[in-house]
Amino acid sequence: MKVVIVDDDSIIRKGLSRTVPWEQNGFALVGSARDGEEALSLIAEMRPNLLLTDIRMPFMDGFQLTEAVKEKFPDMKIIMLTSFDEFELAHRALKLKVFDYLLKPVDTQLLLDTAKRAMAELEYESEMKRKVIEGMPLLRQRFFGKLIKENLSEDEIRSHSELLNFRLPRAKYVVILLTADDYSYPDYQNRFGKEMLKYCILNVAEETVQNNYEGIVFDSEDGEIVIIYYGNGEQDLIEQTLKIAETIRDNVEKYLKTTVTVGIGFIYDNPGDVSRSYRDAKAAIEFRHMIGTNRVLTVGDTGLPPTCSTEIILNGIENELVMKVKLGLEKEAHAILDNIEQRVLEIKFVSLVQVRLIGIEISLLMFKELEEIVKRNVKFKDSLESFHTYYNELERFQTVQEIFDSIRQLMGRFIDITNRQREIQTKSMVHKAIDYIESNYATEGLSLQEVARFVHISPTYLSILFKKEKNITFSDFLLQIRMKAATELLRMSGLKSYEVAEKVGYSNPQYFSQCFKKYTGFSPTDYKNNDH
């Protein structure tokens, strides 16, 4: 690790150079300078890892030197030295993000320890940078996957672009989607195997785009190759997109001896709409079962207008629906589902694929909630079929009504399960509360709040549960427990009335007597003497 020392005092400069055992501690002193100006040319030549600089120097002080160094060599670690213990100096040093700030005369060991910490930090930062660079292709891949699946804002796209070091200019955007026709036929195995075939198609696509065009090529998690293509003139973009698609399709057939179907989405005005063009392209590929494989299909071939995404249709309302189902609010859940269905029907050109996607999204959320219930209570494990079974059933439906009727049936069964689960949970909570009361009724001041804390619910809710499950209020139940215990003690023991009061949670014997008489019709003394 290379070190440069800068100080206008020649004695200090020589002392730091000669008396500090730099080499024995893994450092190489590569030069020293009298002021900032001299230091800059030395730093440019030697490229040290660590700079030790005095603050107060002629011509260019330590702060000016630090600013110049940080601009050209941002990774360099800087330790500032000064004879003045001034807050303002330390504050300025902190703002410049120097590694540390030491007072002269500097203890040799402290200086070495600080230098070692600076180098450890530099090594850590270098390692992190190396890992980021190595992981950049994967990070970019993940971001591109997000870009085609979600409606990202301009700010999100810009910040990711800067971080991942690529450019998405302000231009018109279109998505070209490639899928191998072999993927559609599980009984027919291509000679490459799926992953190798996908890789070969990716190479063909990359070569085609990189040779003459501006665009991003990557493979998605769905087994597709995606090209995000951009340009300025719409007509030129249409012609170039078709040319790219045809070139790739032709080269795959010629060199790989297999076929791909290519889907092209609508052109949109900014990168935030890439996800819409992706869904258009996907819809175009869905039409190959009607038009045929080994073709280039534009979304215009399907008769669909520019896409209105599933996200725009639902806009988070699916989560609200599942929450109502989870709470057992059947009427409200059905109202939300009716509203979603109405929205779908109002969109003139919605594809069956999009409607199925909505059905899958809603049902998948419900199945996830069911998994949570099963984890808590295995008796519900066989209450519903697996999601895979339901998904296969959903794939067979051909109309909006069939899909939504199926969701309604699923919803009804799910509400029934959640209500039964809640009933079991409610009874369990009340039983826990009763056990706690029976064990602690002798504690004076035992309250609804204390019992509610024990069973981890609110006092209000516990009060409601008691009334619902036991048909009695909490305070009446506690009184009942205490009075039953008191009658037993009065009948079976030789304890006096005030002693019994204490044993059942009353420090005031008069108040105990009032409660006892109200409950039994007798005073404690009369009850004991009459031998009840």
Side-chain angles (χ1 to χ4, degrees), residues 377-417:
N377 198 324
V378 290
K379 72 181 286 185
F380 293 114
K381 191 172 183 180
D382 301 320
S383 298
L384 278 179
E385 72 270 41
S386 70
F387 176 72
H388 181 70
T389 307
Y390 180 76
Y391 173 78
N392 288 337
E393 186 183 326
L394 202 62
E395 284 291 293
R396 290 200 303 272
F397 297 137
Q398 297 299 313
T399 67
V400 172
Q401 187 175 342
E402 282 178 329
I403 290 168
F404 275 85
D405 283 348
S406 167
I407 297 170
R408 281 187 187 90
Q409 287 174 19
L410 180 68
M411 206 164 71
R413 299 202 298 277
F414 191 85
I415 286 171
D416 180 55
I417 290 168

Side-chain angles (χ1 to χ4, degrees), residues 20 42 61 67 72 145 155 172 194 203 374 489 496 507:
V20 178
L42 178 64
D61 68 19
E67 283 176 351
K72 289 183 180 177
D155 286 344
K172 293 183 181 296
K194 182 172 180 177
N203 278 340
V374 169
L489 287 168
K496 298 193 180 300
S507 59

Side-chain angles (χ1 to χ4, degrees), residues 6 33-43 53 57-62 64-65:
V6 187
R34 289 171 295 181
D35 57 55
E37 285 183 355
E38 189 180 304
L40 274 181
S41 56
L42 178 64
I43 288 165
T53 177
M57 298 182 294
F59 308 118
M60 178 186 277
D61 68 19
Q64 293 167 318
L65 173 62

Side-chain angles (χ1 to χ4, degrees), residues 66-190:
T66 297
E67 283 176 351
V69 167
K70 283 284 183 186
E71 191 176 329
K72 289 183 180 177
F73 311 107
D75 294 336
M76 193 181 298
K77 296 299 171 187
I78 299 170
I79 297 173
M80 282 190 161
L81 308 172
T82 181
S83 304
F84 304 94
D85 188 6
E86 295 177 19
F87 173 77
E88 186 57 36
L89 293 179
H91 183 65
R92 281 186 70 187
L94 196 65
K95 280 184 78 173
L96 284 170
K97 295 184 179 172
V98 301
F99 181 76
D100 213 337
Y101 172 95
L102 301 177
L103 288 172
K104 296 177 184 177
V106 183
D107 176 74
T108 299
Q109 193 55 50
L110 174 63
L111 178 58
L112 281 171
D113 289 345
T114 307
K116 285 175 182 176
R117 282 193 297 108
M119 291 306 95
E121 187 177 283
L122 185 62
E123 284 174 357
Y124 175 77
E125 287 170 357
S126 299
E127 177 66 11
M128 288 302 102
K129 197 173 285 185
R130 184 185 64 76
K131 285 182 177 176
V132 167
I133 291 166
E134 285 177 1
M136 196 67 82
L138 177 61
L139 292 172
R140 283 181 183 166
Q141 175 91 1
R142 284 181 179 169
F143 171 68
F144 294 144
K146 210 173 174 189
L147 188 64
I148 61 172
K149 294 289 177 73
E150 301 175 25
N151 296 326
L152 298 181
S153 68
E154 281 189 33
D155 286 344
E156 285 176 303
I157 293 169
R158 186 169 55 253
S159 64
H160 279 86
S161 301
E162 288 169 3
L163 180 69
L164 300 173
N165 197 25
F166 67 88
R167 186 170 156 268
L168 280 177
R170 189 165 278 283
K172 293 183 181 296
Y173 282 81
V174 62
V175 168
I176 305 167
L177 203 56
L178 315 168
T179 186
D181 294 323
D182 286 354
Y183 294 171
S184 306
Y185 306 105
D187 297 333
Y188 174 73
Q189 292 296 315
N190 63 72

Side-chain angles (χ1 to χ4, degrees), residues 195-237:
E195 285 307 311
M196 182 55 77
L197 177 59
K198 190 166 77 168
Y199 177 73
C200 292
I201 296 168
L202 179 70
N203 278 340
V204 171
E206 280 178 339
E207 281 181 26
T208 306
V209 172
Q210 285 167 6
N211 284 346
N212 300 300
Y213 306 99
E214 290 278 349
I216 295 160
V217 184
F218 64 99
D219 62 314
S220 81
E221 292 174 354
D222 301 333
E224 310 152 329
I225 306 301
V226 184
I227 302 169
I228 299 172
Y229 183 56
Y230 49 85
N232 291 315
E234 187 158 333
Q235 195 54 43
D236 287 346
L237 207 56

